[in-house]
Tab-separated table of all heavy atoms in Angstrom:
chain	number	residue	atom	x	y	z
D	47	HIS	N	-0.494	21.742	10.448
D	47	HIS	CA	0.812	21.880	11.097
D	47	HIS	C	1.933	21.260	10.254
D	47	HIS	O	3.079	21.695	10.312
D	47	HIS	CB	0.789	21.277	12.510
D	47	HIS	CG	0.545	19.796	12.547
D	47	HIS	ND1	-0.703	19.226	12.434
D	47	HIS	CD2	1.423	18.756	12.674
D	47	HIS	CE1	-0.591	17.912	12.503
D	47	HIS	NE2	0.687	17.595	12.647
D	113	HIS	N	18.919	-11.888	-11.498
D	113	HIS	CA	18.256	-12.630	-12.576
D	113	HIS	C	17.768	-13.994	-12.071
D	113	HIS	O	18.549	-14.779	-11.535
D	113	HIS	CB	19.239	-12.807	-13.736
D	113	HIS	CG	18.693	-13.652	-14.833
D	113	HIS	ND1	17.728	-13.181	-15.705
D	113	HIS	CD2	18.938	-14.932	-15.191
D	113	HIS	CE1	17.421	-14.143	-16.554
D	113	HIS	NE2	18.140	-15.214	-16.267
D	169	LEU	N	4.810	-9.290	2.252
D	169	LEU	CA	3.677	-9.297	3.188
D	169	LEU	C	3.102	-7.894	3.249
D	169	LEU	O	3.849	-6.924	3.423
D	169	LEU	CB	4.184	-9.722	4.575
D	169	LEU	CG	3.166	-9.699	5.721
D	169	LEU	CD1	2.064	-10.730	5.495
D	169	LEU	CD2	3.868	-9.974	7.055
D	205	TYR	N	-0.386	0.922	5.625
D	205	TYR	CA	-1.746	1.142	6.151
D	205	TYR	C	-1.862	0.829	7.646
D	205	TYR	O	-2.963	0.692	8.160
D	205	TYR	CB	-2.758	0.280	5.369
D	205	TYR	CG	-2.844	0.660	3.913
D	205	TYR	CD1	-2.145	-0.044	2.941
D	205	TYR	CD2	-3.607	1.758	3.507
D	205	TYR	CE1	-2.203	0.326	1.606
D	205	TYR	CE2	-3.678	2.131	2.168
D	205	TYR	CZ	-2.974	1.416	1.228
D	205	TYR	OH	-3.030	1.786	-0.085
D	208	ILE	N	-4.411	2.550	9.839
D	208	ILE	CA	-5.824	2.537	9.465
D	208	ILE	C	-6.394	1.159	9.797
D	208	ILE	O	-6.397	0.235	8.977
D	208	ILE	CB	-5.997	2.933	7.979
D	208	ILE	CG1	-5.302	4.289	7.772
D	208	ILE	CG2	-7.475	3.028	7.611
D	208	ILE	CD1	-5.149	4.700	6.351
D	211	ASP	N	-12.234	-1.153	14.612
D	211	ASP	CA	-12.651	-1.888	15.801
D	211	ASP	C	-11.421	-2.106	16.692
D	211	ASP	O	-10.593	-1.228	16.805
D	211	ASP	CB	-13.373	-3.184	15.409
D	211	ASP	CG	-14.547	-2.886	14.455
D	211	ASP	OD1	-15.158	-1.820	14.610
D	211	ASP	OD2	-14.822	-3.698	13.549
D	225	ILE	N	13.770	-13.219	13.062
D	225	ILE	CA	12.916	-12.675	11.990
D	225	ILE	C	13.279	-11.206	11.739
D	225	ILE	O	13.279	-10.744	10.595
D	225	ILE	CB	11.395	-12.883	12.270
D	225	ILE	CG1	10.532	-12.420	11.086
D	225	ILE	CG2	10.937	-12.210	13.531
D	225	ILE	CD1	10.577	-13.311	9.891
D	234	GLY	N	5.325	4.828	4.905
D	234	GLY	CA	5.356	6.213	4.437
D	234	GLY	C	4.262	7.022	5.098
D	234	GLY	O	3.566	6.533	5.996
D	255	ILE	N	21.644	-3.645	3.708
D	255	ILE	CA	20.604	-3.363	2.712
D	255	ILE	C	20.411	-1.856	2.557
D	255	ILE	O	20.329	-1.334	1.442
D	255	ILE	CB	19.270	-4.067	3.111
D	255	ILE	CG1	19.455	-5.580	3.036
D	255	ILE	CG2	18.110	-3.601	2.235
D	255	ILE	CD1	18.234	-6.394	3.430
D	300	ARG	N	-16.647	3.208	5.874
D	300	ARG	CA	-16.535	1.745	5.722
D	300	ARG	C	-17.848	1.074	6.106
D	300	ARG	O	-18.359	0.221	5.369
D	300	ARG	CB	-15.398	1.235	6.605
D	300	ARG	CG	-15.454	-0.242	6.983
D	300	ARG	CD	-14.405	-0.478	8.029
D	300	ARG	NE	-14.377	-1.795	8.613
D	300	ARG	CZ	-14.815	-2.065	9.848
D	300	ARG	NH1	-15.368	-1.125	10.606
D	300	ARG	NH2	-14.701	-3.285	10.330
D	339	CYS	N	-15.610	-2.501	-15.034
D	339	CYS	CA	-15.170	-1.149	-14.644
D	339	CYS	C	-15.301	-0.153	-15.786
D	339	CYS	O	-15.667	1.005	-15.577
D	339	CYS	CB	-13.736	-1.185	-14.124
D	339	CYS	SG	-13.643	-1.986	-12.524
D	380	LEU	N	-24.161	2.343	-8.748
D	380	LEU	CA	-23.651	0.968	-8.887
D	380	LEU	C	-24.810	-0.030	-8.859
D	380	LEU	O	-24.863	-0.963	-9.683
D	380	LEU	CB	-22.655	0.687	-7.752
D	380	LEU	CG	-22.105	-0.718	-7.635
D	380	LEU	CD1	-21.202	-1.067	-8.822
D	380	LEU	CD2	-21.288	-0.888	-6.331
D	385	ASP	N	-28.197	-3.816	-11.866
D	385	ASP	CA	-29.604	-4.240	-12.029
D	385	ASP	C	-30.070	-4.179	-13.470
D	385	ASP	O	-31.081	-4.796	-13.810
D	385	ASP	CB	-30.468	-3.286	-11.167
D	385	ASP	CG	-31.615	-4.037	-10.551
D	385	ASP	OD1	-31.467	-5.251	-10.345
D	385	ASP	OD2	-32.663	-3.399	-10.302
Side-chain angles (χ1 to χ4, degrees):
H47 64 280
H113 175 74
L169 176 65
Y205 296 98
I208 305 169
D211 305 327
I225 185 73
I255 294 179
R300 158 190 174 254
C339 289
L380 175 67
D385 216 27

